[in-house]
Amino acid sequence: MTSSTTSAPTPTATPGRLSIWAQFIAMGVVWGASFLFMKVALEGVAFGQVAWSRLVLGALTLAVIMLVMRPRVAGPGGVLGPILPREPIVYLHFLVVTLSGCVVPFLLYAWAEQYVSSSLASIYNATTPIATALLATLAFRVEKLGRMQWAGVVVGILGVLVIIGPWQYAALTGSLAGQIACVAAPLCYGVMFGYTRKFLSGRPIHGVTFAFLNIGTGALVMLVLTPVVALGALELDPLIVGSLLVLGTVGTGLCYIWNINVLRAWGPTNTSTVTYVTPVVGVILGVVLLHERFSWHEPLGAILVVVGILLAQNRLRRRRPAPAA
């Protein structure tokens, strides 16, 4: 998942160029590998336990960072503001953000990977910019798409249909249901990005605090849901424990801070290119380590999705020639 379509408050310090590149690459690799880690973890724990572990471990990681950094944003006159927002409405906004951007999609992807390959799940995750563009325009009205961008949305949706291959199913199967869950997760991210941009992006909240409130609120929700999603038998071994630790501490903790740093340095459009990195990493790891295979229509659909993203982000516009001197 990437949060590249949201804007962030003015940073208190700007990381160096090399550091930003390192964070961008690390973010793409970790998020791409997260689908492999989920698949491995599902060998010993239930899908709800995977999502529960991600958010609780991520929140603990960010809480430690918060305690060490005690981040604040400078207000008018250079006066530092509070570490945590004081307006109660902000926490209600974060509840909506974490439900749509963490709790529900994490559960959907973990459930789906019981029935679909990690490679396929990573490809579906790449449709997030298309879902975001669609919902930001129609539901939240924070963006306006041009004709080429609408064409990109249509091409991306066509790509999703090609990946699913509806001609293969006469009834609802586990594989089809898993793919539908993988389509629903990016739609949830689209809701989260549009809502964040409309209600939270303009508030003076430090990036680390923003990540902590997002993941921390999700962890509280999961703790409340523990009897429903997290209780059950466990079959743990070092590989499964390691997968859960990386998913939580790095993929759901550190990566959210890296994403905000890259967003501040590069802006939303360039940061969104992580969308092209994550499925490549996810597919390579799934094929090499888990020996996953594709049907002919899945790579074709993935190509259509990438073309749709490029169109939706105005990356295929023809450059006008410079006027003659």
Side-chain angles (χ1 to χ4, degrees), residues 37-312:
F37 294 134
M38 279 189 279
K39 197 75 169 179
V40 172
L42 286 168
E43 295 294 322
V45 300
F47 76 93
Q49 293 166 333
V50 172
W52 187 96
S53 300
R54 290 187 68 175
L55 282 166
V56 171
L57 291 172
L60 290 173
T61 301
L62 291 169
V64 171
I65 296 173
M66 283 282 291
L67 288 172
V68 172
M69 291 185 60
R70 301 184 63 82
R72 299 172 186 266
V73 174
V79 178
L80 293 177
I83 297 175
L84 295 174
R86 292 174 178 170
E87 305 93 334
I89 189 64
V90 171
Y91 296 91
L92 291 177
H93 288 324
F94 271 106
L95 179 60
V96 176
V97 167
T98 197
L99 287 173
S100 57
C102 296
V103 175
V104 175
F106 286 4
L107 286 168
L108 284 171
Y109 274 129
W111 181 84
E113 286 206 36
Q114 298 174 113
Y115 306 101
V116 303
S117 69
S118 64
S119 304
L120 197 56
S122 69
I123 291 174
Y124 278 118
N125 186 66
T127 64
T128 297
I130 295 172
T132 300
L134 190 62
L135 289 166
T137 299
L138 297 181
F140 295 98
R141 301 185 182 278
V142 293
E143 292 183 1
K144 186 176 181 180
L145 300 181
R147 282 182 293 182
M148 288 297 290
Q149 291 170 299
W150 275 114
V153 170
V154 172
V155 171
I157 293 173
L158 177 61
V160 169
L161 291 175
V162 172
I163 295 171
I164 293 175
W167 59 84
Q168 302 179 104
Y169 304 99
L172 182 63
T173 64
S175 175
L176 178 58
Q179 293 190 70
I180 292 173
C182 287
V183 173
L187 289 173
C188 292
Y189 290 144
V191 171
M192 182 266 290
F193 290 140
Y195 191 94
T196 300
R197 182 165 180 179
K198 188 166 186 176
F199 296 106
L200 287 174
S201 291
R203 296 180 180 271
I205 303 174
H206 193 281
V208 174
T209 305
F210 197 102
F212 170 71
L213 290 177
N214 185 11
I215 304 304
T217 305
L220 290 177
V221 172
M222 282 300 194
L223 289 173
V224 171
L225 295 177
T226 296
V228 179
V229 302
L231 295 183
L234 300 172
E235 295 182 13
L236 300 179
D237 61 31
L239 197 57
I240 292 172
V241 172
S243 295
L244 291 173
L245 285 173
V246 174
L247 273 173
T249 60
V250 185
T252 316
L254 295 177
C255 271
Y256 276 73
I257 298 176
W258 297 340
N259 183 69
I260 291 170
N261 289 338
V262 177
L263 174 63
R264 286 169 165 169
W266 289 358
T269 301
N270 288 329
T271 307
S272 68
T273 56
V274 75
T275 307
Y276 312 132
V277 178
T278 52
V280 173
V281 174
V283 168
I284 290 174
L285 292 177
V287 170
V288 173
L289 298 181
L290 300 179
H291 308 292
E292 296 173 346
R293 295 291 181 265
F294 290 107
S295 299
W296 65 268
H297 58 92
E298 293 166 349
L300 175 60
I303 292 172
L304 290 174
V305 166
V306 171
V307 172
I309 294 171
L310 292 171
L311 289 169

